[in-house]
Amino acid sequence: MLGRRFFTPIRPIRPFHLCHIPLSSAPRSPLFLTRSMASAASKITSQNPKGGGNLKKKKAKAVPASAFPLELHLAPAFFDHLIKTFEKLKAEHDGFVKSQPRVHIVITMPDGSERKGKSWETSPMDVAKEVSKSLSERIVIAKVDGELWDLERPLEGPCKLELLDFELPEGKKVLWHSSAHVLGEAAERHYGCHLCLGPPTDEGFFYEMGIEDRAVTLAEYPSVEKVAESAIKEKQKFERLVVKKETLLEMFNYNKYKKHLIETKVPDGTSTTVHGCGPMIDLCNSSSYFLGDANNESLQRIYGISFPVKKQLTEYKAFLEEAAKRDHRRIGKDQELFSFNELSPGSCFFLPHGTRIYNTLTEFIRCGPFRLNPFTGISPNMFHSKLWQQSGHWQNYKDDMFGLKPMNCPSHCIIFGSRDRSYRELPIRMAEFGILHRNEASGALTGLTRVRRFAQDDTHVFCMPSQVAGEISALFDFMQHVYGTFRLDFQLELSTRPDNFLGDIKTWDHAGESLEKRYPGKWELSPGDGAFYGPKIDISIRDSLSRSFQCATIQLDFQLPNQFDLKYRGEDTQNPEVRPVMIHRAILGSLERFIAIITEHFAGKWPFWLSPRQVVIIPVGPAFKDYVVQVHDRLKSEGFFVDIDNGPDTLSKKIRNAEISQHNFILVVGEAEMTAQSVNVRNRDIGAGAKGRDEMMSLDDFVTKLHALKTSRSLENKL
């Protein structure tokens, strides 16, 4: 059966905001609305090719009004067919409900209190109204004995009842799935389209549709929103039916997309859920090309988001505006960090300043705590397909492989197996910042967050079972050190032993127990969801805008050593050859993706140790050129990134340019500084007129303080 989705009455869906993204693009999850709302920000262009320069805001072009009517002059013919079929089935269902015996039931609430009701008559909404009016206005879905349950659907017997509001993850999903159906109704009424999929997402919802004679444009958003708002004002209710497969095929015989979903996803002889909402009747399904296949015809997709109260929508729009300002693609262009070219799609060209960030990150990971310091290997970029067949990757990922290596782990197995190993050598830790290639679909490529060529901070640890807990504990210490340096909070998800696990059960249990004890309260457990070859640990980080990104992965692997017949000579003479346990570790994950995340996390205001533009020297006049060069050469010899602005602009304009280009410190040099062999230091992060903004100090003191700041890796731009 298709997954059943549950809906709130349409009443709570108030603020409603849409954006359209063509199927050929695949925006990363938290930013799908940013693209439409960032059009003004994308007009901010750099006027100074040397450092971000003077930024000038251009007026955003006005969106032209739609040339199409608000709704079709004639409603789509399938409306009448669907409504008649649905009403017939609804009448049959109502008759069934009416015939059910009404008996007194006990409804148990989460706090243990009990309420009375009648089977097939009392609904979760009735219970909510009995508790309080405010609760009934706030909730969006119920849970009955752990199963999601429509608010207006009658209870069928004694049960445990939970009432969920929008602030809970399940509440958000339900509200946004309900909203997707409102969007579907608006799209049918405005475009006369044939709907395909309309699921909730982590940040709202979307609907995919086939439209033969036109494309969705920005100009049509107001029309679609207005039709959706009219549906909301009508207070249409969702009405739920469970319908047999053969009846569904007859209901949706006009829609090839729905027919395909029914034929392929609903087993013969079974039923699935259908909901009616005004003139819109639809399956409850989830999932562009149709079904993600580029050989099928393309569909058009509209994204949206909704909230129970207008204030939340206002706050969300403010969040989108801030996210647009921080968009790594915009900052990367303004600060000349990286670029892309159609001659190598999905492959980043790191420019000199971006390369500085890239190299600093690489060095940061390489110079981790000494106990974790692995040896660095270099493995080939191209292998015979037999390697991937042996590792098992070919069977699962061959369509996403170029022929160039997509991961480092099999080549590290080859290195381990290149000679005999003894237990005295273990653990062996292999690190490689190797270049990897994966054949991402062109429509999925998005800035640095989704690329075809990337580097990953891979380490693979080969160890004895008795060493697993200690190695993972050390990895988590390192992970906390790395994320703490960037002030990124993290959340852990542990997928534990499945039924078809490989390896020793004691090793699994010991690893899981040691992990759970390490960071109490930070774990989300997914019992039984681990891969068959080892428990998987996913680490999600949260940036300064509270957006979540999955970055790090730690994976225990009991299978790959088997695939490559890896062994070491054990301490036990009775069992001379033993399989090692393999631990996969990536903390930053893809360097490209991590650079995108921290670009937006810091909004392009780089901390000194990571900054590609640390110091700029501005002479007050040409007479001090020689001293400026002297200061420049001294700072450069000390390993700092330093620039000189000898351009024709005024002094105030040069200082403003340096602030916009995000140089951490601005040195203004004149006669007093030259005479005293000193510098006047202006701090980027201290506002005009504030104490400490300009400070005179000797050049030697300045160099000493810069070294201290760089070594500390502080995020505060303070000497």
Side-chain angles (χ1 to χ4, degrees):
M1 290 178 65
L2 289 174
R4 289 164 65 185
R5 300 289 179 179
F6 301 85
F7 299 86
T8 176
I10 201 164
R11 159 185 54 75
I13 307 172
R14 296 184 187 109
F16 196 87
H17 185 73
L18 301 178
C19 82
H20 166 260
I21 295 182
L23 185 63
S24 58
S25 78
R28 61 193 173 93
S29 184
L31 298 179
F32 63 80
L33 284 178
T34 303
R35 292 196 172 197
S36 67
M37 298 196 68
S39 55
S42 67
K43 298 296 182 184
I44 301 176
T45 58
S46 172
Q47 302 298 315
N48 183 339
K50 296 222 170 181
N54 297 327
L55 300 184
K56 183 179 179 181
K57 292 186 179 181
K58 297 181 179 179
K59 289 185 178 179
K61 293 181 179 178
V63 177
S66 174
F68 295 93
L70 190 65
E71 295 192 48
L72 298 175
H73 295 303
L74 293 175
F78 58 81
F79 270 19
D80 188 56
H81 163 71
L82 278 177
I83 291 171
K84 286 181 178 178
T85 305
F86 188 85
E87 287 179 346
K88 177 177 178 295
L89 295 172
K90 182 68 168 55
E92 293 173 0
H93 174 74
D94 289 346
F96 166 78
V97 172
K98 191 174 182 179
S99 68
Q100 299 305 301
R102 268 56 172 172
V103 297
H104 293 287
I105 60 173
V106 175
I107 304 160
T108 306
M109 307 301 286
D111 62 359
S113 63
E114 294 181 348
R115 296 191 175 265
K116 295 180 180 179
K118 282 189 178 181
S119 61
W120 297 98
E121 185 174 302
T122 302
S123 71
M125 181 56 77
D126 294 329
V127 177
K129 289 177 179 177
E130 184 181 306
V131 174
S132 73
K133 181 183 178 183
S134 63
L135 176 64
S136 68
E137 292 174 344
R138 192 173 71 249
I139 58 172
V140 295
I141 194 64
K143 262 189 175 181
V144 174
D145 292 332
E147 178 185 354
L148 289 174
W149 199 272
D150 290 4
L151 291 177
E152 303 288 355
R153 180 181 170 189
L155 303 171
E156 297 172 7
C159 62
K160 294 180 180 179
L161 176 65
E162 299 174 67
L163 300 170
L164 311 179
D165 63 18
F166 179 76
E167 299 307 314
L168 297 171
E170 289 165 314
K172 282 186 172 67
K173 289 284 187 183
V174 168
L175 183 73
W176 287 340
H177 202 99
S178 301
S179 301
H181 279 242
V182 178
L183 169 58
E185 176 186 339
E188 285 184 334
R189 288 165 60 179
H190 182 71
Y191 296 106
C193 58
H194 285 180
L195 300 176
C196 181
L197 298 171
T201 68
D202 290 338
E203 292 292 337
F205 52 90
F206 69 79
Y207 229 116
E208 286 181 341
M209 61 202 73
I211 309 175
E212 293 182 357
D213 56 351
R214 60 192 276 202
V216 177
T217 67
L218 183 67
E220 292 158 5
Y221 297 172
S223 297
V224 177
E225 288 181 349
K226 194 168 184 179
V227 177
E229 288 166 2
S230 71
I232 294 168
K233 288 178 181 177
E234 291 172 12
K235 297 186 178 180
Q236 300 171 353
K237 281 190 176 183
F238 286 105
E239 297 180 299
R240 173 186 178 275
L241 293 176
V242 177
V243 183
K244 294 179 180 178
K245 179 175 181 176
E246 54 269 26
T247 306
L248 289 172
L249 288 171
E250 193 280 326
M251 272 182 89
F252 294 98
N253 59 14
Y254 68 94
N255 186 324
K256 58 187 173 184
Y257 313 118
K258 297 295 185 187
K259 282 182 64 178
H260 180 86
L261 290 170
I262 296 165
E263 288 167 350
T264 58
K265 303 297 182 182
V266 183
D268 291 341
T270 65
S271 305
T272 194
T273 307
V274 171
H275 275 80
C277 172
M280 197 267 202
I281 316 295
D282 199 12
L283 294 168
C284 297
N285 47 45
S286 60
S287 203
S288 143
Y289 300 103
F290 179 44
L291 301 180
D293 188 341
N295 296 317
N296 291 328
E297 65 182 87
S298 62
L299 299 174
Q300 300 192 66
R301 180 181 290 186
I302 300 178
Y303 280 94
I305 194 163
S306 60
F307 296 91
V309 294
K310 190 172 183 178
K311 180 184 176 184
Q312 290 171 306
L313 179 59
T314 301
E315 291 171 349
Y316 189 77
K317 286 183 176 181
F319 159 79
L320 290 177
E321 290 175 3
E322 180 61 27
K325 295 175 186 176
R326 293 169 177 256
D327 191 316
H328 75 277
R329 293 162 295 186
R330 170 187 172 273
I331 293 172
K333 181 179 179 181
D334 289 347
Q335 295 189 3
E336 294 190 340
L337 304 179
F338 56 83
S339 65
F340 290 88
N341 190 284
E342 62 183 10
L343 295 178
S344 185
S347 301
C348 177
F349 291 76
F350 278 99
L351 306 178
H353 289 93
T355 302
R356 290 174 177 178
I357 297 170
Y358 187 102
N359 289 340
T360 302
L361 279 176
T362 302
E363 189 64 19
F364 172 54
I365 295 297
R366 281 193 173 129
C367 297
F370 179 79
R371 194 166 83 81
L372 278 180
N373 210 10
F375 76 78
T376 302
I378 300 176
S379 59
N381 238 9
M382 185 176 292
F383 290 91
H384 195 286
S385 61
K386 288 180 180 177
L387 175 76
W388 312 111
Q389 291 166 3
Q390 182 178 357
S391 69
H393 292 101
W394 186 262
Q395 295 87 319
N396 296 306
Y397 304 113
K398 63 181 179 180
D399 292 339
D400 297 324
M401 295 167 68
F402 280 116
L404 300 173
K405 68 175 178 181
M407 65 278 295
N408 292 311
C409 34
S411 54
H412 289 186
C413 288
I414 291 176
I415 294 174
F416 182 92
S418 62
R419 65 169 175 82
D420 288 343
R421 303 285 179 180
S422 166
Y423 74 93
R424 293 184 176 88
E425 298 177 71
L426 304 185
I428 292 175
R429 309 181 185 100
M430 299 184 194
E432 180 174 4
F433 281 88
I435 301 301
L436 306 177
H437 292 80
R438 295 181 186 173
N439 190 22
E440 299 284 358
S442 59
L445 302 176
T446 310
L448 291 178
T449 60
R450 199 75 176 267
V451 291
R452 288 176 174 165
R453 178 200 180 276
F454 61 96
Q456 191 161 288
D457 64 324
D458 266 343
T459 293
H460 295 97
V461 181
F462 298 87
C463 63
M464 295 183 286
S466 61
Q467 296 171 323
V468 167
E471 285 299 303
I472 289 185
S473 180
L475 287 174
F476 272 92
D477 285 344
F478 184 43
M479 180 195 71
Q480 192 165 42
H481 165 70
V482 171
Y483 291 158
T485 299
F486 295 99
R487 210 171 289 165
L488 292 165
D489 193 19
F490 63 89
Q491 186 69 36
L492 310 173
E493 182 176 293
L494 172 63
S495 299
T496 57
R497 187 182 71 247
D499 293 337
N500 61 337
F501 72 96
L502 294 177
D504 179 44
I505 192 169
K506 291 182 179 179
T507 302
W508 277 81
D509 290 346
H510 187 55
E513 289 169 6
S514 63
L515 287 172
E516 291 182 59
K517 291 176 183 176
R518 186 67 184 167
Y519 291 104
K522 277 189 171 286
W523 286 103
E524 288 184 13
L525 290 179
S526 296
D529 285 344
F532 65 90
Y533 49 83
K536 183 182 180 184
I537 305 148
D538 289 323
I539 299 97
S540 297
I541 60 175
R542 298 185 75 84
D543 70 1
S544 56
L545 292 183
S546 297
R547 297 173 300 183
S548 182
F549 304 91
Q550 197 273 314
C551 279
T553 298
I554 297 175
Q555 174 79 61
L556 264 66
D557 190 340
F558 308 123
Q559 179 64 12
L560 215 53
N562 273 336
Q563 299 290 92
F564 286 88
D565 195 26
L566 302 183
K567 301 172 184 175
Y568 64 90
R569 283 179 280 108
E571 192 173 10
D572 185 358
T573 56
Q574 302 299 316
N575 186 21
E577 292 189 328
V578 186
R579 290 263 187 259
V581 176
M582 187 175 182
I583 303 174
H584 306 250
R585 179 276 271 171
I587 301 297
L588 303 183
S590 155
L591 261 72
E592 283 77 0
R593 186 166 185 264
F594 192 78
I595 288 172
I597 292 170
I598 60 174
T599 300
E600 299 183 2
H601 179 59
F602 295 127
K605 296 184 71 169
W606 300 99
F608 182 78
W609 71 274
L610 191 59
S611 177
R613 295 180 176 89
Q614 294 175 328
V615 179
V616 62
I617 310 169
I618 302 173
V620 298
F624 312 106
K625 179 179 179 181
D626 290 343
Y627 183 60
V628 165
V629 172
Q630 177 188 332
V631 174
H632 171 273
D633 291 349
R634 171 71 187 281
L635 294 175
K636 189 172 182 181
S637 70
E638 297 284 348
F640 302 117
F641 300 133
V642 56
D643 300 311
I644 299 174
D645 190 345
N646 276 323
D649 290 331
T650 63
L651 179 62
S652 60
K653 185 72 176 296
K654 288 179 181 180
I655 292 172
R656 177 58 182 153
N657 288 347
E659 291 172 339
I660 292 174
S661 61
Q662 300 300 337
H663 281 85
N664 297 74
F665 296 101
I666 303 164
L667 307 185
V668 180
V669 174
E671 184 174 358
E673 289 77 21
M674 183 174 67
T675 302
Q677 292 292 291
S678 64
V679 288
N680 184 290
V681 183
R682 175 168 293 202
N683 189 323
R684 176 196 66 188
D685 293 349
I686 298 179
K691 184 178 179 181
R693 178 172 171 81
D694 296 278
E695 184 179 358
M696 179 84 79
M697 66 181 70
S698 72
L699 181 57
D700 288 340
D701 284 349
F702 182 59
V703 169
T704 300
K705 290 182 178 182
L706 286 186
H707 278 300
L709 181 58
K710 184 177 180 179
T711 302
S712 71
R713 295 196 179 97
S714 171
L715 301 189
E716 306 298 328
N717 200 54
K718 294 180 180 179
L719 294 175

